[in-house]
Amino acid sequence: MNRRTPQPPSWLPIDPFIMTLIGTVALAALLPVSGGAAHVASGASTGAVALLFFLYGARLSTREALDGLRHWRLHVTVLACTFVLFPLLGLAARALVPVVLTPDLFHGLLFLCLVPSTIQSSIAFTSIARGNVPAAICAGSFSSLAGIFVTPLLAALLLGGSAGGVSADSVLKIALQLLVPFASGQLLRRWVGGFLTRHKKVLGLVDRGSILLVVYTAFSEGMVRGIWHQVSPARLGALLGVEAVLLAAMLALSWYGAKRLGFGRGDRIAIQFAGSKKSLAAGLPMASVLFGAQAALAVLPLMLFHQMQLMVCAVIARRRARDPLQEERPGPVSPPVLTRRR
């Protein structure tokens, strides 16, 4: 009798990157970088993030982006979820201070609500669920671009001094670190696009390596300054509970709200996955600029939410993929969202 190797349940996504992320945090706790090495690590992480957004710009087809503008209602809906509904829910969590959340954890939670949407995971889950993938590509990209300006402005408005004193200088610094590399990637795409397409796996390692370097630098600084003594296991458990409610609320609002607005199944899937997620890649460098020494504590809610959204959305995507065919074609005329845009 052949014995098969036990496999994890299909509903339990195991992302090796998350384990690597946890290992990076542990390394920062045991061997934090300090002194002159900390300045070197900070400069390296800044350069890595700039490279990351250059690659984002070089990968996005300009024609694809322009074609995506035709579906403006979907993109406006995703942007409203990301930069209106999320911040409103974040502000509502102020009522939980100080009984459930500490002021610092609340500020981190509110910052999480201001961060733009993801690109890669929104596309991946939309594809698994048989949704409108081109719309997810454009929605995630537009959200990331808008977040370069909107996130710092919202942080200045809603967080004020809690974000280390958001100023025009910090907004300009974020734009230079994220927008300029992205625009450069778009300008050079004609010459480097083919190379990037042929080396997707290698570039994926660059993506994740950049995030890990930023995490290590931020958490090292937090360890050196001793800010982790401010968070107890009970508070972390409470934070996870609050984030679970936040994610559930956004998944429901994006799905049923899109239905109310008249979107078909394929577009609703793209809206749900792009409108309910937050980008770790964009949020980490922004937090390092906005929060300075408090960045490690500020990004803790974002890191926890990142893992939670991957696990929950993986389950939802697999269930959507099993939807009966008649749900996609309720009538004799196919809904327009099933038409693939070229």
Side-chain angles (χ1 to χ4, degrees):
M1 179 183 296
N2 294 331
R3 294 187 178 182
R4 301 177 64 182
T5 303
Q7 299 292 328
S10 60
W11 53 267
L12 182 61
I14 298 177
D15 188 349
F17 178 62
I18 297 301
M19 302 306 299
T20 308
L21 197 62
I22 295 173
T24 302
V25 174
L27 179 63
L30 296 173
L31 298 172
V33 65
S34 60
H39 293 291
V40 175
S42 178
S45 65
T46 300
V49 170
L51 176 60
L52 179 66
F53 274 79
F54 172 82
L55 295 176
Y56 282 164
R59 289 174 189 170
L60 178 63
S61 167
T62 304
R63 180 177 179 180
E64 190 174 57
L66 293 176
D67 288 344
L69 288 175
R70 300 173 185 172
H71 212 358
W72 63 269
R73 288 183 64 247
L74 183 146
H75 303 312
V76 169
T77 302
V78 171
L79 291 174
C81 290
T82 304
F83 298 116
V84 178
L85 292 180
F86 254 117
L88 288 176
L89 291 176
L91 288 172
R94 189 185 298 272
L96 303 176
V97 180
V99 178
V100 179
L101 299 175
T102 65
D104 287 333
L105 288 180
F106 165 70
H107 293 149
L109 181 71
L110 183 54
F111 173 72
L112 148 71
C113 294
L114 310 181
V115 171
S117 179
T118 62
I119 299 178
Q120 292 97 327
S121 59
S122 296
I123 297 170
F125 290 135
T126 299
S127 177
I128 292 172
R130 295 181 292 138
N132 190 339
V133 175
I137 294 172
C138 294
S141 301
F142 294 157
S143 178
S144 294
L145 282 174
I148 294 174
F149 301 100
V150 176
T151 297
L153 294 176
L154 287 177
L157 177 65
L158 302 179
L159 287 168
S162 303
V166 180
S167 63
D169 182 65
S170 62
V171 175
L172 178 62
K173 188 175 181 180
I174 289 174
L176 289 175
Q177 187 176 359
L178 305 183
L179 181 61
V180 172
F182 185 94
S184 300
Q186 278 282 285
L187 292 174
L188 296 176
R189 187 180 187 279
R190 176 180 177 183
W191 294 277
V192 302
F195 175 83
L196 297 179
T197 301
R198 293 191 300 270
H199 297 84
K200 287 183 178 179
K201 291 185 178 181
V202 176
L203 295 174
L205 296 177
V206 174
D207 286 355
R208 299 191 169 199
S210 302
I211 295 173
L212 294 176
L213 183 56
V214 175
V215 168
Y216 177 71
T217 303
F219 275 76
S220 290
E221 186 172 2
M223 287 300 300
V224 171
R225 295 178 179 270
I227 67 173
W228 291 111
H229 298 296
Q230 305 173 25
V231 185
S232 66
R235 292 292 190 180
L236 285 178
L239 176 63
L240 282 171
V242 172
E243 291 192 339
V245 173
L246 175 65
L247 179 59
M250 284 307 305
L251 286 169
L253 288 171
S254 57
W255 179 254
Y256 293 105
K259 182 178 181 180
R260 184 78 174 176
L261 291 173
F263 289 100
R265 177 188 177 278
D267 283 352
R268 288 169 65 195
I269 289 174
I271 290 171
Q272 184 180 50
F273 288 131
S276 64
K277 289 193 179 53
K278 292 297 181 177
S279 172
L280 190 64
L284 287 175
M286 290 182 182
S288 65
V289 174
L290 297 175
F291 290 92
Q294 299 296 319
L297 194 58
V299 301
L300 180 61
L302 177 59
M303 289 182 61
L304 295 176
F305 190 85
H306 177 79
Q307 166 63 352
M308 187 181 296
Q309 70 184 11
L310 289 179
M311 296 180 67
V312 173
C313 289
V315 176
I316 293 175
R318 288 167 181 164
R319 291 185 176 179
R320 295 264 188 261
R322 296 195 296 267
D323 286 348
L325 185 60
Q326 57 266 31
E327 291 190 13
E328 294 186 55
R329 301 178 182 274
V333 179
S334 301
V337 296
L338 292 180
T339 302
R340 296 297 181 189
R341 295 169 176 80
R342 296 184 178 179

